[in-house]
Amino acid sequence: FGPVRMVKAFYDLYKKQVFDYKAARIINVVSVAGLVTAPQMAPYFCSKHAAEAFTSTLRLEMDMMGVKVIGVNPAYHGTNMVSDAPNC
């Protein structure tokens, strides 16, 4: 789970750095699939909902340090994953 590893890698740096935390940002690119659901793609949608929940929780935790956490949810884009899925 890449976003968790990235936050862990930089967390100590956020705590130790002497800079204006008001300018610090963490941006997670998730997917619109983290906000909706569709049939026959449960594993994909579950993973995106988990990433969305992680971003929301991280936003609350990092706010105490003045670090802004932003989730970006791009919409659907036709890929092989979608075209190879059943009933798509």
Side-chain angles (χ1 to χ4, degrees), residues 15-86:
K15 290 192 318 187
K16 293 178 184 176
Q17 283 293 327
V18 182
F19 65 85
D20 181 11
Y21 285 116
K22 300 293 183 200
R25 303 282 186 269
I26 296 173
I27 301 171
N28 284 340
V29 179
V30 185
S31 170
V32 73
L35 306 173
V36 298
T37 57
Q40 302 190 10
M41 292 188 60
Y44 179 76
F45 281 93
C46 287
S47 69
K48 298 307 174 189
H49 276 75
E52 187 67 33
F54 173 70
T55 301
S56 295
T57 303
L58 187 62
R59 181 179 300 115
L60 297 172
E61 293 175 0
M62 299 300 281
D63 186 56
M64 292 180 269
M65 296 171 53
V67 176
K68 302 293 183 196
V69 178
I70 301 161
V72 178
N73 298 337
Y76 169 82
H77 182 74
T79 65
N80 289 342
M81 181 188 84
V82 173
S83 63
D84 293 345

